[in-house]
């Protein structure tokens, strides 16, 4: 297997060497101005950490560390049975000001097929769509348009793509179909895209016409020693995203098998 021109053993070795050079970011980065937003994508692994403990409060503490304006969560519901949500969203709103994008007909679940999209209280959400993605696994995308204020509107697509390469390619085409043209309103794609390949076989190539060029790959998996860039933050406009990085703290390394991915967004 090759990752960005290197084979997997080389990538693991580079991650080990660079681990000592990375600084934990236990406090949120400062915004330059009010027009700058912090967005994030986080696969919370059903709130089960690398220590195999189920701890939703720990997951919520990681989200508080990030202090995002918009965050997409994956695997925030039980996958089987009644698909009940796993986080205390009312408490999370009280502590962070984040409220979930509403979804319909989902029983006890937080989001759509495990996808939860949270945004800062005070914005207005409209035109919410729940998209069923093709494939053998139950995968989905949540699409919402958020009026940040009277002048700024942002479309967000929160997605969790499948483990099979053929499914990912089909799912990427569905995501692309959501976009009517490359020059539409500012749009972010957030999620666990499960794609570590960057060459011709990558499902991300399907997205390049609208969401290209792809920002630099940032390893987020596994959280203890990240070598694979499974999580992505992408935009349909050049210069809209900056400072993409993994939120690497002592807490985030144990709270899930993925590190959160964060970025600044300029509108």
């Amino acid at each position: 297997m090759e990752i960005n021109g290197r084979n997997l053993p080389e990538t693991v070795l580079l991650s080990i060497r660079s681990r000592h050079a990375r600084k934990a970011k236990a406090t949120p980065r400062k915004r330059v101005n009010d027009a700058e937003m912090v967005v994030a994508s986080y696969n919370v692994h059903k709130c089960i950490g690398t220590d195999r403990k189920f701890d939703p409060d720990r997951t919520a503490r990681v989200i508080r560390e990030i202090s995002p304006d918009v965050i997409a969560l994956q695997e925030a519901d039980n996958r089987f049975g009644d698909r009940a949500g796993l986080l205390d969203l009312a408490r999370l709103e009280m502590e962070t000001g984040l409220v979930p994008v509403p979804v319909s007909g989902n029983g006890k679940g937080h989001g759509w097929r495990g996808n939860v999209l949270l945004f800062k209280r005070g914005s207005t959400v409209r035109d919410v769509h729940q998209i069923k993605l093709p494939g053998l696994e139950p995968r989905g995308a949540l699409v919402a348009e958020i009026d940040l204020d009277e002048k700024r509107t942002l479309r967000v697509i929160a997605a969790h793509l499948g483990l099979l390469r053929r499914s990912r390619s089909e799912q990427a085409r569905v995501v692309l179909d959501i976009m009517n043209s490359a020059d539409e309103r500012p749009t972010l794609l957030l999620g666990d895209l499960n794609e570590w390949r960057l060459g011709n076989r990558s499902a991300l190539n399907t997205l390049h016409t609208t969401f290209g060029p792809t920002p630099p790959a940032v390893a987020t998996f596994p959280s203890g020693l990240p070598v694979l860039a499974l999580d992505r933050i992408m935009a349909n406009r050049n210069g809209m995203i900056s400072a993409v990085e993994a939120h690497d703290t002592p807490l985030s390394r144990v709270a899930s098998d993925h590190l959160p991915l964060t970025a600044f967004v300029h509108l």
Side-chain angles (χ1 to χ4, degrees), residues 21-75:
R22 289 200 300 266
K23 295 181 179 180
K25 300 175 181 62
T27 57
R29 293 171 298 163
K30 293 183 179 180
R31 296 163 174 80
V32 175
N33 52 57
D34 292 338
E36 196 170 60
M37 299 173 54
V38 174
V39 301
S41 179
Y42 188 20
N43 185 326
V44 300
H45 195 231
K46 303 177 185 66
C47 299
I48 299 173
T50 55
D51 57 2
R52 300 184 180 181
K53 293 181 180 179
F54 173 71
D55 192 343
D57 289 340
R58 181 169 58 186
T59 302
R61 292 201 303 272
V62 174
I63 296 172
R64 291 202 302 271
E65 280 186 351
I66 300 168
S67 187
D69 296 288
V70 176
I71 185 170
L73 306 179
Q74 302 86 45
E75 298 190 16

Side-chain angles (χ1 to χ4, degrees), residues 122-191:
S123 302
T124 302
V125 174
R126 55 186 174 84
D127 295 336
V128 178
H129 300 281
Q130 299 162 205
I131 310 297
K132 180 180 178 181
L133 297 177
L136 298 177
E137 306 164 277
R139 300 290 185 178
L142 185 61
V143 185
E145 294 187 9
I146 303 175
D147 291 332
L148 303 170
D149 51 40
E150 294 180 355
K151 297 181 179 180
R152 298 182 302 164
T153 297
L154 177 68
R155 174 191 281 160
V156 180
I157 304 172
H160 188 189
L161 303 191
L163 297 173
L164 301 177
R165 183 170 64 90
R166 178 177 295 181
S167 294
R168 285 196 300 274
S169 296
E170 294 174 352
Q171 292 159 0
R173 284 192 288 271
V174 172
V175 169
L176 201 61
D177 287 343
I178 296 172
M179 307 291 295
N180 294 325
S181 64
D183 61 349
E184 277 202 350
R185 71 202 64 190
T187 301
L188 289 177
L189 172 60
L190 310 174

Side-chain angles (χ1 to χ4, degrees), residues 66 76 82 117 167 171 230 261:
I66 300 168
D82 59 5
L117 187 56
S167 294
Q171 292 159 0
L230 302 186
L261 188 67

Side-chain angles (χ1 to χ4, degrees), residues 176 182 187 189 204-215 233-241:
L176 201 61
T187 301
L189 172 60
L204 299 181
N205 291 337
T206 304
L207 301 171
H208 283 173
T209 55
T210 296
F211 293 101
T214 305
I233 298 175
M234 305 169 71
N236 68 332
R237 295 186 179 184
N238 290 334
M240 187 171 159
I241 296 176

Side-chain angles (χ1 to χ4, degrees), residues 104-121:
S104 59
N106 213 30
K108 300 178 181 178
H110 289 329
W112 169 243
R113 301 201 169 208
N115 292 290
V116 179
L117 187 56
L118 301 165
F119 64 99
K120 277 288 187 183
R121 189 171 48 221

